[in-house]
Amino acid sequence: MKLAVVGTGYVGLVTGTCFAETGNQVTCVDIDERKVEKLNNGIVPIYEPGLETLFHRNVEEGRLSFTTNLEEGIKGAEVIFLALPTPPGEDGSADLKYILKVASDLGPILNQYAVIVDKSTVPVGTAEKVHAHIADNAKVDFDVVSNPEFLREGVAVEDFMKPDRVVIGTRSDRAKGVMNRLYAPLVRQGNPVIFMDERSAEMTKYAANAFLATKITFMNEIANLCERAGANVDDIRRGIGTDSRIGKRFLFAGIGYGGSCFPKDVQALAKTAKDFDYDFKVLKSVMEVNYEQKTKLMPLIRNHFGGSLKGKTIAVWGLAFKPYTDDIREAPALDNIQALLEAGAKVTVYDPEAMDNVRNQIGNAVTYAHTQYAALDDADALVIITEWPLFRTPDFDKMNLLMKGKVIFDGRNVYEVDQMRELNYTYYSVGREAVLAPVEQKV
């Protein structure tokens, strides 16, 4: 099939590349000339495991191309995906200006029937708005379909190629046939393609992300209670995760969620509820708890150092909002770095992928280390923000030589409490007992 993908951000680039991998002819369109030039020169602008290999293979085999010309990009396309930004406004609502602008541009240049697909995460009623904007100047038949993405950063290629389910919102039999044919190669193992009306599909994406955000937040609340009650949140996680009604995933306590989806989508669903005069109390609590959870280690850090961080050097491992990505949108690391700097600390950071993005955002307010160990040089303490695998089994003997004090504040429960006790570290984590070992400061 001939496809067009408008927008080459995270969702658009993964969508275009993966559909090309299944044999389709895909043209990706973006108004950013510099980005399109980089893509045409073989430069992938995002870090996502497995994506670069598929990207280069499909470009070389002529199935994947890039242009800034919308009319050229959609020429002959049976399906046109809209994968455009929907940034949150001040009131939490999703800003649809990019999507509706492209919808208006599409109307006069469509010259054959096409299925226009909302791939972006959009509020209820967006498909109707997109249809109206296209219809203002359209001279041919078309359908607008809602097809939300359920990609997890870090495993997005696998999620796309082997989806748990495909959700498609349309009441058009013609559009159903086109979308069934498009997704057939990806659901051969029997994973369902679920058809529903457009509004229900739009709501499904928000409901999924809001539920997962709620699950994370619930466990963080349990962790906070564990710290007061003397219980261990990891034991509780294992105890409830084996219940098939609950499941094992999204039960790890930590310092809150971030990224491009959960914060934005929870806000947007809360705004939708407000628009329909419904008081969604659970979502309000989720947002409040997550905001406070991001910097829950800061009181512990201040207390450990007698209330003042002036003159202290704090090492930070992990900047991305989660492992296997360079995405720092809503990342807890940014909140903690700001709090540490405001408290007078010197901050040295390391992340395998996200340091350039942080540098672009906050400049040289912190020191950027070239390795995880370089970040520890002369550090009074280590704060772990992102659970990259390389942080899980470090060389503790090397760490001991580099750090002034054997002190770790672990925001992701990377290490076991007993392990830290045996290594004679002072160790604070989330929802577990603190290890208050004697600390020998280096002179």
Side-chain angles (χ1 to χ4, degrees):
M1 297 175 70
K2 175 75 168 63
L3 312 178
V5 179
V6 184
T8 60
Y10 184 86
V11 173
L13 191 56
V14 171
T15 297
T17 302
C18 289
F19 272 132
E21 180 68 10
T22 58
N24 298 292
Q25 192 76 25
V26 182
T27 302
C28 295
V29 184
D30 202 293
I31 61 171
D32 188 332
E33 294 181 0
R34 291 184 61 189
K35 180 187 282 190
V36 171
E37 182 180 1
K38 287 181 179 180
L39 289 165
N40 281 326
N41 288 327
I43 300 172
V44 180
I46 60 172
Y47 174 74
E48 179 62 37
L51 180 62
E52 193 162 351
T53 299
L54 300 188
F55 174 91
H56 288 300
R57 176 161 63 228
N58 285 283
V59 168
E60 290 168 6
E61 295 181 4
R63 290 192 298 268
L64 182 62
S65 60
F66 304 89
T67 182
T68 58
N69 189 308
L70 181 62
E71 186 168 6
E72 174 188 313
I74 69 163
K75 187 176 181 181
E78 295 179 66
V79 183
I80 302 170
F81 287 91
L82 305 184
L84 295 151
T86 54
E90 291 185 6
D91 61 355
S93 61
D95 189 342
L96 299 178
K97 64 183 177 184
Y98 301 108
I99 290 177
L100 297 181
K101 171 64 167 62
V102 171
S104 295
D105 292 342
L106 282 174
I109 62 175
L110 286 175
N111 56 18
Q112 65 179 45
Y113 172 81
V115 177
I116 316 300
V117 181
D118 284 335
K119 198 65 175 170
S120 307
T121 301
V122 293
V124 171
T126 298
E128 296 160 21
K129 293 178 181 179
V130 170
H131 192 283
H133 276 68
I134 297 173
D136 280 345
N137 294 294
K139 302 178 181 64
V140 296
D141 290 336
F142 66 93
D143 282 306
V144 175
V145 166
S146 176
N147 174 216
E149 53 84 15
F150 298 96
L151 305 179
R152 296 168 295 159
E153 292 192 41
V155 287
V157 171
E158 182 179 353
D159 282 349
F160 197 99
M161 301 302 286
K162 300 177 181 178
D164 288 337
R165 79 291 198 197
V166 176
V167 172
I168 298 173
T170 183
R171 286 164 288 187
S172 162
D173 290 337
R174 188 175 185 182
K176 285 181 181 179
V178 172
M179 297 301 287
N180 254 331
R181 185 157 50 95
L182 177 61
Y183 275 104
L186 303 178
V187 293
R188 295 181 64 191
Q189 295 181 339
N191 293 338
V193 177
I194 305 171
F195 285 100
M196 59 186 72
D197 65 87
E198 297 88 343
R199 286 188 166 227
S200 295
E202 291 162 343
M203 182 72 83
T204 296
K205 174 60 187 289
Y206 282 122
N209 279 353
F211 181 82
L212 296 176
T214 301
K215 196 173 180 183
I216 293 168
T217 303
F218 178 82
M219 284 307 294
N220 285 336
E221 288 273 70
I222 291 293
N224 295 340
L225 180 57
C226 284
E227 292 171 5
R228 298 192 177 198
N232 186 312
V233 73
D234 284 344
D235 291 338
I236 295 166
R237 169 177 56 80
R238 288 187 286 267
I240 68 174
T242 48
D243 187 326
S244 61
R245 298 169 299 175
I246 297 173
K248 300 177 181 179
R249 297 173 63 184
F250 293 91
L251 293 180
F252 288 86
I255 51 173
Y257 59 77
S260 62
C261 292
F262 285 4
K264 176 172 67 71
D265 292 354
V266 171
Q267 289 178 31
L269 186 56
K271 177 60 169 59
T272 297
K274 184 177 180 181
D275 291 343
F276 287 92
D277 197 27
Y278 180 74
D279 186 11
F280 210 141
K281 298 182 181 68
V282 170
L283 290 188
K284 291 179 180 178
S285 296
V286 168
M287 291 185 285
E288 179 182 344
V289 171
N290 192 64
Y291 176 78
E292 295 174 354
Q293 194 75 11
K294 285 185 175 184
T295 53
K296 76 160 275 127
L297 293 178
M298 285 304 302
L300 297 175
I301 297 172
R302 290 193 189 93
N303 290 340
H304 177 82
F305 290 108
S308 175
L309 297 183
K310 290 183 179 179
K312 300 299 181 183
T313 298
I314 307 297
V316 172
W317 279 0
L319 300 173
F321 86 93
K322 63 181 287 190
Y324 301 109
T325 182
D326 60 355
D327 195 342
I328 61 168
R329 286 173 287 184
E330 301 284 344
L334 299 177
D335 298 89
N336 283 278
I337 287 171
Q338 181 180 351
L340 289 167
L341 292 173
E342 290 176 352
K346 176 186 175 184
V347 180
T348 303
V349 304
Y350 175 76
D351 186 283
E353 296 294 338
M355 288 203 291
D356 285 344
N357 288 340
V358 171
R359 186 183 285 108
N360 291 336
Q361 184 160 326
I362 69 172
N364 294 320
V366 301
T367 299
Y368 300 91
H370 63 281
T371 68
Q372 68 188 92
Y373 296 109
L376 301 178
D377 191 20
D378 212 27
D380 293 283
L382 166 64
V383 180
I384 300 175
I385 303 290
T386 313
E387 63 277 30
W388 283 94
L390 77 164
F391 300 154
R392 293 189 178 278
T393 54
D395 184 337
F396 285 104
D397 290 335
K398 189 173 184 178
M399 291 173 63
N400 297 343
L401 293 173
L402 291 167
M403 297 177 68
K404 280 185 182 178
K406 296 168 64 175
V407 185
I408 297 176
F409 298 89
D410 186 352
R412 299 299 177 187
N413 292 358
V414 171
Y415 307 125
E416 295 297 329
V417 171
D418 289 343
Q419 176 191 23
M420 292 293 98
R421 186 177 288 112
E422 291 173 6
L423 292 170
N424 200 34
Y425 268 79
T426 292
Y427 179 71
Y428 302 89
S429 55
V430 180
R432 307 183 299 181
E433 67 173 306
V435 176
L436 303 177
V439 180
E440 297 182 6
Q441 294 288 346
K442 296 179 183 177
V443 180

